[in-house]
Every structure is written in structure tokens, then in C-alpha cells.
Amino acid sequence: MKTPKLVTTLAALREELVAVRRTGQKIGFVPTMGALHEGHLSLVRAAKTECEFVVVSIYVNPKQFGPDEDFSKYPRTLDADCELLAGCGADLVFAPADKEMYRPGHATSVDVGAIAQRWEGASRPGHFRGVATVVLKLLNMVRPDAAYFGLKDAQQMLVVHRMAHDLDLPTAIRPCPTVREPDGLAMSSRNRYLSPTGRKQALVLWRSLQKARQLVEQGESDAAAIVRQMRTVIETAETAKIDYVALVDPETLESVEKVVGPTVALLAVKIENTRLIDNCMLMPK
Ligand code: PAF
């Protein structure tokens, strides 16, 4: 098993990458906040199929957390993360400290516009400004040929895609499928906050998405009716608190009234005190 090299400074990262670029290898990049699971590893494997050299960043970005969110308790498991990355194709891990990422006087941020304002953006003001800013910084630091993002964070994917397009970034943005536990729960670093009971209750997210799929397959096209039934499924979990359940256009993320073309079912639900998100594509016949 090949253990990826760990660097923690921008200078060391650049030095490594200058040497890689000289050999003409394609560079793939997987940005993460650590607490890695199979979902992240699938991104690394996807990167490795297209790129000879794969960089993974591990950085819990304070700018994408709201004041009442879980920044301080977010799991930091660098040693375990590096062990997981060994053997799945990562060549270099970049784990910068806060002072390396945001140097004194840092003042610039990236606003991506309407796509970043709704759903997660509305519930977590400033979240996507933080995400876009750190992703742009990381892309400038690594200068990869391609960067890989999981579709569980569907809105994040669109925000990053919009930014990359609008700002003419040379990196290709690659969406990768959501990885699920055998029972359907989408893998997330936050799943580890759940108690065994919460873990069982969290299945209502996946069940409600399946309900939406089933209704669409049966010919239901009324979005309000589908959302109502999805909410009913979620409400069977004792601790569930729905933030939003929506059926949206896959490009604009605006709510649809009728499911007549490809549509994304999008949801955010608190189970116990853990906020989980998930989504799936609905394809009416
Ligand atoms: O998806 C994540 O883990 C984070 O939002 C990202 C893209 C690494 C930016 O901090």
C-alpha cells in the first residue's frame, strides 16, 4: 500500500507539484474536510482513473460554518484519513493550518449569485460564500486538471460548477455519484454524530427519496403531492425536523410545480441534532 506524502504548507505543496508537472502527469484533485469515508475514497478512485497524480486536501474550512454550526466539533481525524488514503490512489495530502489558508488581512470572498442563495444557501447564510472562496483558493493552489465533487452535495456541485465556468477556471469539474451505506443512507462525515437510534431514524431521508421515485414511476407529476408524501415518510422518525423538501430544476434549483422532465428531489432534515442532506434525480417516463 502506498502512503501518500503529507504536506502542510503552500510552499511544500507547490514544490511537490512543480516536480509532478515537469513529468507531464495529469493532476486530479479531491478537496475534503477530512473525516474520510467511502464516499471520499470513491472520489479519489475516480480521480485516479483519469489522472496519474492525485492530490487530496484535508481542511475544515471555518468560513463555511455558521456561528451556531458544528465547526468546533467537526471530526478531525488526520492520521486515520491518511491511512484510508493509502492504497486508494492518493499521491499527496495537503492539510494546511488556518494561518496557511487565510493569511493575516485576508479579505476576498467569492459570491456565486442566485444558485447559492436558495435551499442550503437560505438555511446556512454565507455557507456557499465560504465554500466557493476556499474551493477557488484550493484550485489556485493545486492547479489541477480535474477536481472531483460528490453529488450528495448537489447544490455545492452546481455552485462550484457555476464559479468555474464564470471565472474561466482551467480545471474540469467532475460530479461523482453519491455513495450509500447498504441500507441506503448517504455516506456523510456527520453520520458519526448519530446515536444508534438516530442512525435508524436517518433512513427516512432515503425512504422519502424512494417514495418520490416510486410516485413518479407511477405517473404522479404534481410536485406538491409528491412533496407531501415525502414529508409524511420523514415525519415517521421521532426526532426528525424538516428544514426543506423540494422538487427542483436540476440546473437552476428553482422549485417545479410539475415533474415533467429530469427533476431533483432535494432535502435537508435534522435527525436528533444532526443536520443531514440528500437528493436524487427523478426521471419521468
Ligand atoms: O464538501 C466538502 O467537504 C467541502 O465543502 C469542501 C468542498 C471540501 C470545501 O471546504
Side-chain angles (χ1 to χ4, degrees):
M1 269 197 320
K2 182 178 161 243
T3 310
K5 184 164 183 180
L6 172 67
V7 293
T8 57
T9 65
L10 180 52
L13 175 76
R14 288 206 163 130
E15 204 180 306
E16 291 292 330
L17 293 178
V18 164
V20 174
R21 265 186 214 103
R22 239 186 251 128
T23 64
Q25 297 181 79
K26 256 177 119 180
I27 298 176
F29 177 49
V30 180
T32 81
M33 298 205 299
L36 301 183
H37 50 67
E38 192 48 43
H40 298 109
L41 303 187
S42 73
L43 301 179
V44 176
R45 289 191 199 103
K48 200 66 188 182
T49 61
E50 285 190 324
C51 307
E52 290 91 356
F53 194 88
V54 175
V55 182
V56 177
S57 66
I58 296 182
Y59 178 63
V60 185
N61 172 35
K63 294 203 186 290
Q64 68 188 75
F65 289 78
D68 301 324
E69 295 184 7
D70 55 343
F71 173 68
S72 56
K73 79 162 185 181
Y74 199 85
R76 286 152 173 93
T77 56
L78 184 59
D79 292 343
D81 290 345
C82 289
E83 265 173 45
L84 280 175
L85 289 170
C88 75
D91 297 285
L92 188 65
V93 175
F94 177 48
D98 282 342
K99 62 178 188 327
E100 191 71 17
M101 186 57 81
Y102 297 109
R103 293 177 293 280
H106 176 101
T108 306
S109 59
V110 183
D111 262 306
V112 180
I115 198 114
Q117 303 303 321
R118 38 184 74 105
W119 313 119
E120 285 304 282
S123 296
R124 306 180 65 190
H127 170 66
F128 284 125
R129 186 180 311 119
V131 170
T133 303
V134 82
V135 170
L136 181 58
K137 280 173 70 62
L138 287 164
L139 292 177
N140 282 332
M141 290 171 172
V142 178
R143 296 202 285 125
D145 295 282
Y148 299 78
F149 294 84
L151 276 169
K152 185 183 78 78
D153 297 301
Q155 191 174 4
Q156 169 172 284
M157 237 298 302
L158 285 175
V159 166
V160 170
H161 204 271
R162 179 85 263 155
M163 171 183 76
H165 185 266
D166 290 354
L167 300 182
D168 307 305
L169 302 186
T171 300
I173 304 300
R174 299 271 194 257
C176 299
T178 302
V179 178
R180 297 182 181 279
E181 301 284 356
D183 62 6
L185 181 68
M187 290 197 184
S188 161
S189 304
R190 290 188 168 99
N191 290 350
R192 64 183 78 190
Y193 297 152
L194 297 166
S195 74
T197 319
R199 170 67 184 75
K200 281 190 200 130
Q201 292 185 15
L203 272 183
V204 293
L205 277 82
W206 174 233
R207 288 199 191 116
S208 76
L209 293 172
Q210 283 180 307
K211 171 59 93 183
R213 271 199 176 142
Q214 187 194 343
L215 290 167
V216 168
E217 264 163 34
Q218 288 164 357
E220 178 63 84
S221 63
D222 180 37
I226 298 170
V227 166
R228 244 187 335 268
Q229 296 221 40
M230 291 175 73
R231 295 180 77 100
T232 304
V233 172
I234 296 168
E235 282 157 4
T236 60
E238 203 186 323
T239 66
K241 287 195 200 84
I242 296 175
D243 182 348
Y244 58 80
V245 176
L247 300 191
V248 303
D249 178 279
E251 274 165 34
T252 63
L253 294 189
E254 277 174 70
S255 287
V256 298
E257 283 181 15
K258 291 275 170 207
V259 180
V260 286
T263 301
V264 180
L266 207 58
L267 44 83
V269 178
K270 261 192 182 170
I271 299 288
E272 298 176 318
N273 248 343
T274 299
R275 191 169 180 284
L276 301 173
I277 59 173
D278 201 352
N279 66 82
C280 77
M281 193 62 127
L282 305 175
M283 298 290 237
K285 288 193 190 104

Coordinates of all heavy atoms in Angstrom, one line a residue, residues 2 77 93 129 169 206 215 277:
K2 N 0.5 2.2 -0.9 CA 1.4 3.4 -1.0 C 0.8 4.5 -0.1 O -0.4 4.9 -0.3 CB 1.4 3.8 -2.4 CG 2.2 5.0 -2.7 CD 2.3 5.4 -4.1 CE 2.8 6.8 -4.2 NZ 1.8 7.8 -4.8
T77 N -9.6 13.9 12.0 CA -9.0 12.5 12.1 C -7.9 12.3 11.1 O -7.9 11.3 10.4 CB -10.1 11.5 11.9 OG1 -10.7 11.8 10.6 CG2 -11.3 11.6 12.9
V93 N -1.2 14.5 0.2 CA -2.3 15.0 1.0 C -1.8 16.4 1.4 O -0.7 16.6 1.9 CB -2.5 14.2 2.3 CG1 -3.5 14.8 3.2 CG2 -3.0 12.8 1.9
R129 N -20.6 31.1 0.2 CA -19.5 32.1 0.0 C -18.2 31.5 0.6 O -17.2 31.5 -0.1 CB -19.8 33.4 0.7 CG -18.8 34.5 0.5 CD -19.1 35.8 1.2 NE -20.5 36.2 1.0 CZ -21.4 36.4 1.9 NH1 -21.0 36.2 3.2 NH2 -22.6 36.8 1.7
L169 N -12.1 29.1 -15.0 CA -11.1 28.3 -14.4 C -10.7 27.2 -15.4 O -11.6 26.6 -16.0 CB -11.6 27.7 -13.1 CG -12.0 28.6 -12.0 CD1 -12.3 27.9 -10.7 CD2 -11.0 29.7 -11.8
W206 N -33.6 8.6 2.9 CA -33.5 7.7 1.7 C -34.9 7.2 1.3 O -35.3 7.2 0.2 CB -32.5 6.6 2.0 CG -32.4 5.5 0.9 CD1 -32.5 4.2 1.1 CD2 -32.2 5.7 -0.5 NE1 -32.3 3.5 -0.1 CE2 -32.1 4.4 -1.1 CE3 -32.0 6.8 -1.3 CZ2 -31.9 4.2 -2.4 CZ3 -31.7 6.6 -2.7 CH2 -31.7 5.3 -3.2
L215 N -43.5 7.3 -6.8 CA -44.7 8.1 -7.2 C -44.5 8.5 -8.7 O -45.4 8.5 -9.5 CB -44.9 9.3 -6.3 CG -45.4 8.9 -4.9 CD1 -45.2 10.1 -4.0 CD2 -46.8 8.4 -4.9
I277 N -28.3 16.1 4.7 CA -28.9 16.4 3.4 C -28.8 15.2 2.4 O -27.9 14.4 2.6 CB -28.2 17.7 2.7 CG1 -26.7 17.4 2.5 CG2 -28.5 18.9 3.5 CD1 -26.1 18.6 1.7

